[in-house]
Amino acid sequence: MSKTPLNALAIAAALAAAILAVQKTVHLDNLGRNSEARERCYGIARAGKNDCGTPTHSCAALSKINGDAESWIMVPRGLCNKLVGGHRKLGEG
Amino acid sequence: MRMRRLPARVEAVITRQQHESEMLVGFAQLTIVALLALFYAFAPAGYSPDAPVKAAPLGLSLFAILVLLRLYFALTKQLNTWLIGAFTVAEMAVLIGTIWAYHLQFEHPPIIVFKNTAFLYVFILIALRALRFDPAWVILSGITAAAGWAILVCCALMPARGNPLTWDYVTYATTGKVHLGAELDKVLAIVMATGVLALSLTRSRRILEQSATQTQAASDLSRFFDDDVARRITQADSTAVAGQGMLRQAAILFVDLRGFTKATARLEPSQLIALLGEYQRLIVPIIQKHGGAIDKFMGDGILASFGAVTPSATYAADGIRAVDAILAAASKWQSRRAEDGLIAPGIGAGLAAGEVVFGIIGDKKRLEYTVIGDAVNLAAKLEKHNKLEVTLALAPLKALTLARAQGYEGADKETRSQRNVGGVEEPVDLAVWL
């Protein structure tokens, strides 16, 4: 079969691309952690340092003020309640 | 899988159709991936930059890789049943896996995957499989989706603490709780959509087979008819019926082989038909190239018309040009045959122009079209009259004048005035080809 080397090349290229895609989109270090290891904490992010999504703007680093009650960052679970101004649900605090 | 065995030629048409469909599926998928990637690029991410997984880019790139690999196999014609099946399952697995990965992306318990709108893409994936005329792949895709979703439900519910379920719709809609009825609804919707598509594909498959069979039959049969006539019949608003007649200005051409009757006595039947075939393959394309329609073959005689089947403003010029071309081709053909030591009969032609009736005759079961008129009789008689004039072709001078008026620019012909043509009452002025 003259197609065998070409097939091997195509499959190898596909595998390489798949590995690259996984490497670019998966944080292997963070993957192991429990999905509940971190929690959202509102009201503590410095302006422009928030993670994401509020009712008024849509994404990361768009908050305009320090400690915006609607902007959040991910913190280790249990930490949020210990922080001044920190709250875990939108609308609290 | 099919009950009836189809003729090999029809199978070949369907196989080619399936191959094209496979390409279509691949390119449609790539287009969708590209569109989603574009949306994604402009949409806000909505999760922490150091989230364990970026679900959408991961899913889209793995899907694109699968599609490209399948297109490679399709282009190199290596795609067999097993590969198509494997790719169908793998694509759906990538989608369901991506939906599962959303909970990792948002660092939230897996229970949130049930509210993921990416579920709708399950239907797009199944529908894409319907671009190919094969219900089997839609069914496989649907089964994979339904099973995948069932597994997802189990995997998401298993690690949940407390009771993750609710049977109250409002609680389901406003909290993270899972309504088992809603999940069952989704699986049912997958099954039903798959069923409808599979049914529609089964029907289209049958229509495809019928159409392939009939196209084949039509193309086989169309060789018995003139192209124009076949087109006229297949594109007519109503079925062709006997009794339709149209008055047309047309040129009628008779061509036959000189000394063919004598040759019939000296040739084997197969040699005779071979000679006839060679002669027809020489003449027919020339007539068609000049806009003529072949009305009849009668032994070595060919009756052709210009402007009768399809009206034409240059019928006489077309006819005269065809005569020029036929005589030129015939002289080459004759000398080639003579060189090869074969019988080399000459070719004679008679052309006349005038008003004819073009019509369909016959009964319900067998139809034929015909041209009737003085021009037809005159063309036939002129063709015979060649023998007396010792010419190759004859046409009334009127026809040549008409052809000139219609733009014919060929060489001048010798003219012979007031000739008595057998069977024609009045003497005719003739243009002759020597």
Side-chain angles (χ1 to χ4, degrees), chain B residues 92-315:
Chain B
M92 193 55 82
V94 164
L95 175 58
I96 300 212
T98 305
I99 295 175
W100 171 256
Y102 265 86
H103 87 275
L104 297 169
Q105 168 177 292
F106 290 112
E107 301 177 65
H108 205 276
I111 215 113
I112 63 161
V113 300
F114 296 121
K115 312 242 161 135
N116 196 322
T117 48
F119 169 77
L120 295 173
Y121 290 110
V122 164
F123 294 105
I124 296 178
L125 266 197
I126 297 173
L128 274 168
R129 282 274 136 227
L131 287 175
R132 191 186 159 110
F133 294 98
D134 206 336
W137 304 124
V138 169
I139 293 172
L140 180 64
S141 190
I143 289 176
T144 313
W149 198 257
I151 293 170
L152 193 77
V153 171
C154 294
C155 289
L157 291 182
M158 221 91 90
R161 282 188 306 268
N163 178 14
L165 299 178
T166 177
W167 290 99
D168 171 40
Y169 180 75
V170 174
T171 312
Y172 159 73
T174 53
T175 67
K177 296 239 179 217
V178 177
H179 196 296
L180 273 187
E183 296 319 309
L184 189 66
D185 242 7
K186 288 180 189 171
V187 174
L188 272 182
I190 294 174
V191 171
M192 287 188 285
T194 304
V196 171
L197 281 176
L199 187 64
S200 117
L201 278 188
T202 311
R203 299 185 67 222
S204 349
R205 169 83 186 202
R206 208 174 311 139
I207 292 169
L208 173 69
E209 286 174 1
Q210 273 173 8
S211 124
T213 311
Q214 286 168 7
T215 310
Q216 201 71 58
S219 88
D220 287 348
L221 291 176
S222 71
R223 289 190 290 148
F224 287 94
F225 295 104
D226 184 77
D227 286 354
D228 268 342
V229 176
R231 211 174 306 129
R232 185 171 287 261
I233 290 171
T234 49
Q235 293 180 358
D237 289 334
S238 55
T239 319
V241 287
Q244 290 177 340
M246 281 152 283
L247 210 55
R248 292 275 158 77
Q249 294 296 325
I252 306 297
L253 172 66
F254 258 90
V255 184
D256 84 351
L257 279 176
R258 293 268 161 264
F260 183 71
T261 324
K262 256 184 251 164
T264 53
R266 284 165 37 207
L267 290 173
E268 294 283 317
S270 59
Q271 286 175 315
L272 187 73
I273 296 298
L275 169 67
L276 204 55
E278 205 177 293
Y279 151 75
Q280 288 174 342
R281 279 194 296 278
L282 179 75
I283 306 297
V284 170
I286 297 176
I287 292 173
Q288 287 172 338
K289 200 182 121 204
H290 288 85
I294 307 296
D295 296 357
K296 267 185 200 67
F297 292 116
M298 289 159 295
D300 61 317
I302 299 173
L303 168 60
S305 62
F306 299 80
V309 178
T310 317
S312 157
T314 56
Y315 57 94

Side-chain angles (χ1 to χ4, degrees), chain A residues 3 7 25 27 30 36 38, chain B residues 50 52 54 72 76 78 107:
Chain A
K3 275 172 181 167
N7 283 356
T25 55
H27 266 268
N30 297 350
E36 295 178 64
R38 299 205 297 175
Chain B
D50 63 345
K54 294 184 177 75
Y72 161 77
T76 52
Q78 299 182 80
E107 301 177 65

